[in-house]
Amino acid sequence: MSMETRDQRYLTDTEPRISETYADIAERHGLKVTFFATGKALEEEPRVFQRLARREHVELGGHNYYAFQPCWLYNWIFYRTFGLWNGPSAFQDWEIQKTIDQFREITGVRIRAWRDHAYRRDHNTYRLLAKNDIQVVSDEVGPKWEGPYQHEDGIVSLPVNIMPDSDHMYHGYFRPTTTKDWQLKRSRFPSDMMWPNKWLECVKSNIKKTLDKGGIPCLLVHPAPMKIAGNFEVLDRLCAFLSGYKSITATEAMQFGNV
């Protein structure tokens, strides 16, 4: 979806279209991936998602419909008035349903996995996702979780327990001179921003440590940062490392939901 983010100015194509290259790299290394996409992105580029839906190693999941656009509605009215990023419960329920319907209409896929854009959830979110038969949600972020678990709202939570690229890896706009203190403070991991090669080594080390503890590593690696930081070279090296392990999709992780 063309949201005019800081990453978009460094791309010559849209994020859905470069996701196909991402999927190619994962497939070459024998890995499964779950792509979380907004309903609006499917509306804008339906053929891309139709192609992705036909790929056996790709799972599609929801990522809100509008990705909190326009800002004046979500930030200034919903959050300032109700204290809810996603808006009132009825609106959030409608947006979840709208996203599910968009996937089914355009790709024929009934999605079961979800990640809220920017991890923005509230006390209604997991209950509403479960109500709409979303089975696994990957919103929680931080090293304290060793793997997925059954949430009290009737849905499996699959926390991101390996440091995400977007929050920890320099790329595009996010460089030492532009990264703000508040960006580092909001991180769920006790780590500074770092250059791609160092990020990759830290990720590999964290994966090994999580596995040694009997946990299940969950990675969040975006197409845009991977494209911007060396034209997917870092992703290729990461996938080569991951090819030594079994990979599963977000919904396949549900079987470990009592971890």
Side-chain angles (χ1 to χ4, degrees):
M1 179 178 175
S2 299
M3 295 165 50
E4 300 182 1
T5 63
R6 286 169 171 162
D7 279 348
Q8 189 62 51
R9 74 183 70 171
Y10 295 91
L11 298 172
T12 57
D13 213 338
T14 65
E15 195 156 5
R17 286 198 286 270
I18 66 172
S19 296
E20 294 190 272
T21 302
Y22 187 119
D24 289 339
I25 295 170
E27 184 175 25
R28 187 167 69 247
H29 290 285
L31 300 176
K32 296 179 179 181
V33 295
T34 299
F35 285 143
F36 296 96
T38 66
K40 191 68 174 175
L42 271 77
E43 179 182 309
E44 294 175 349
E45 301 191 65
R47 292 183 181 179
V48 172
F49 289 97
Q50 288 165 358
R51 291 193 297 267
L52 287 171
R54 291 195 292 267
R55 304 182 73 146
E56 292 185 358
H57 70 298
V58 172
E59 175 182 48
L60 295 177
H63 198 48
N64 302 102
Y65 196 89
Y66 297 107
F68 305 107
Q69 300 293 322
C71 289
W72 63 263
L73 175 62
Y74 287 89
N75 292 356
W76 292 99
I77 296 182
F78 287 164
Y79 186 70
R80 299 278 179 150
T81 304
F82 301 100
L84 302 172
W85 289 114
N86 302 56
S89 178
F91 179 87
Q92 186 177 180
D93 188 27
W94 171 83
E95 190 170 354
I96 292 169
Q97 292 176 29
K98 185 175 176 65
T99 304
I100 293 170
D101 291 344
Q102 185 80 321
F103 271 93
R104 185 157 41 197
E105 179 181 337
I106 289 177
T107 69
V109 172
R110 178 40 169 106
I111 59 170
R112 305 291 181 184
W114 190 273
R115 172 173 291 134
D116 281 283
H117 185 68
Y119 323 124
R120 287 187 178 183
R121 64 190 184 278
D122 57 48
H123 64 276
N124 295 313
T125 303
Y126 285 10
R127 173 182 60 82
L128 293 173
L129 290 172
K131 168 182 174 291
N132 285 284
D133 203 24
I134 296 294
Q135 299 175 349
V136 58
V137 57
S138 188
D139 273 353
E140 295 176 301
V141 183
K144 70 176 183 178
W145 288 283
E146 293 186 4
Y149 67 94
Q150 186 70 42
H151 193 272
E152 61 184 8
D153 284 331
I155 193 169
V156 172
S157 176
L158 176 62
V160 177
N161 54 16
I162 306 297
M163 62 174 64
D165 55 351
S166 57
D167 297 333
H168 295 277
M169 187 184 76
Y170 289 128
H171 66 282
Y173 170 85
F174 298 98
R175 305 177 73 82
T177 55
T178 56
T179 302
K180 310 300 182 183
D181 289 341
W182 65 265
Q183 291 172 303
L184 298 177
K185 290 177 181 177
R186 76 176 183 178
S187 172
R188 283 77 166 178
F189 291 83
S191 173
D192 294 334
M193 294 282 285
M194 59 194 74
W195 294 108
N197 285 338
K198 183 177 179 182
W199 172 83
L200 177 59
E201 293 309 309
C202 285
V203 164
K204 290 160 65 174
S205 175
N206 290 339
I207 289 171
K208 291 176 181 178
K209 289 178 181 178
T210 301
L211 289 170
D212 287 344
K213 292 188 295 184
I216 301 171
C218 177
L219 285 75
L220 172 52
V221 184
H222 297 81
M226 289 295 106
K227 171 66 175 176
I228 294 167
N231 195 27
F232 290 115
E233 187 266 342
V234 175
L235 177 67
D236 190 54
R237 289 164 56 201
L238 174 61
C239 288
F241 170 79
L242 293 173
S243 66
Y245 303 95
K246 179 182 178 181
S247 64
I248 57 177
T249 64
T251 53
E252 287 175 338
M254 286 176 52
Q255 62 185 299
F256 305 102
N258 292 322
V259 171

